[in-house]
Amino acid sequence: EAGVAQSPRYKIIEKRQSVAFWCNPISGHATLYWYQQILGQGPKLLIQFQNNGVVDDSQLPKDRFSAERLKGVDSTLKIQPAKLEDSAVYLCASTPVGGGGEQFFGPGTRLTVL
Amino acid sequence: GENVEQHPSTLSVQEGDSAVIKCTYSDSASNYFPWYKQELGKRPQLIIDIRSNVGEKKDQRIAVTLNKTAKHFSLHITETQPEDSAVYFCAPTNGNQFYFGTGTSLTVIP
């Protein structure tokens, strides 16, 4: 079984630029999560999708961050414009259904904002 | 939102000794209690979990105990090995909201 795929693996941009990350969850997994993990901290949930609907985006900074999962499969997370404090690893995870259970994480995208 | 704390934040043990990490949470509706291991530069991976109808679960050298009344659960690693060195996160959830703890950095000294 293929795991969660993410791209790119690394990205370096300057502040005020835009960036997008892509995630393809495990086939058949209905629930998809985007996390932000700042160095030395635990992952922080940004947004949770159930199929193509948003379940929770309460911690997503909506003035600069957006995410979509149009066909209920892969997803993109965008930052526009980026700030220095957005430097972090962005992790995508998926589960077969919602309601708790093991989350399968992708390798992450390491973003550096200069 | 959920308030999740882990103690200690760092832990060093001699190889072969035991390690215990405690996670406290605030949401009484939490019903799933996993522990994730994250090695440097790698993704978090589930190592053990427990649901609210069970008080203890063991898998070889790893065990998790749950005290719902006191709102805490603990990770126990026995006969530690150098490859156990990593950061460990708890992530209690009510199924709708997901909060990870701040992490415990475990170092096993050979």
Side-chain angles (χ1 to χ4, degrees):
Chain A
E1 171 180 270
V4 177
Q6 289 188 247
S7 67
R9 293 295 311 279
Y10 305 92
K11 190 73 176 179
I12 300 173
I13 62 172
E14 295 189 349
K15 60 183 179 183
R16 292 187 290 273
Q17 287 187 321
S18 301
V19 65
F21 312 128
W22 174 82
C23 172
N24 192 27
I26 293 173
S27 178
H29 280 197
T31 307
L32 183 149
Y33 313 80
W34 282 104
Y35 289 90
Q36 178 193 59
Q37 187 173 25
I38 294 172
L39 187 64
Q41 298 182 16
K44 171 188 166 185
L45 181 67
L46 295 176
I47 190 167
Q48 176 190 355
F49 291 96
Q50 180 84 10
N51 296 309
N52 61 349
V54 175
V55 175
D56 181 12
D57 63 356
S58 58
Q59 298 191 91
L60 186 75
K62 298 180 185 65
D63 58 334
R64 298 184 300 107
F65 287 64
S66 64
E68 60 183 13
R69 193 185 184 199
L70 292 176
K71 296 182 180 179
V73 180
D74 56 351
S75 175
T76 56
L77 175 69
K78 297 179 181 178
I79 307 175
Q80 180 179 12
K83 293 185 175 181
L84 297 177
E85 57 261 37
D86 298 333
S87 294
V89 175
Y90 290 84
L91 293 162
C92 180
S94 69
T95 56
V97 294
E102 180 178 3
Q103 296 191 27
F104 296 85
F105 284 86
T109 296
R110 182 176 297 278
L111 174 67
T112 301
V113 182
L114 303 175
Chain B
E2 172 88 279
N3 184 25
V4 180
E5 294 185 356
Q6 283 183 234
H7 295 282
S9 57
T10 60
L11 181 59
S12 292
V13 299
Q14 292 288 333
E15 181 177 0
D17 286 351
S18 296
V20 181
I21 303 170
K22 184 176 181 179
C23 179
T24 60
Y25 61 93
S26 60
D27 185 357
S28 57
S30 294
N31 55 18
Y32 177 66
F33 307 92
W35 284 98
Y36 288 85
K37 174 183 180 182
Q38 188 175 29
E39 298 178 38
L40 190 62
K42 301 285 184 64
R43 72 195 77 183
Q45 291 192 301
L46 181 75
I47 55 171
I48 196 165
D49 57 8
I50 194 169
R51 295 194 181 271
S52 59
N53 58 341
V54 179
E56 182 174 354
K57 181 178 177 181
K58 189 173 182 180
D59 183 3
Q60 298 183 359
R61 297 187 297 109
I62 297 172
V64 56
T65 57
L66 171 65
N67 185 328
K68 281 211 75 180
T69 302
K71 295 183 194 171
H72 65 74
F73 62 111
S74 297
L75 175 68
H76 305 256
I77 306 174
T78 59
E79 300 172 25
T80 54
Q81 301 169 2
E83 51 265 38
D84 294 329
S85 295
V87 179
Y88 291 82
F89 294 100
C90 63
T93 179
N94 60 18
N96 294 311
Q97 295 178 311
F98 298 85
Y99 294 91
F100 278 70
T102 49
T104 296
S105 178
L106 172 65
T107 301
V108 180
I109 304 165

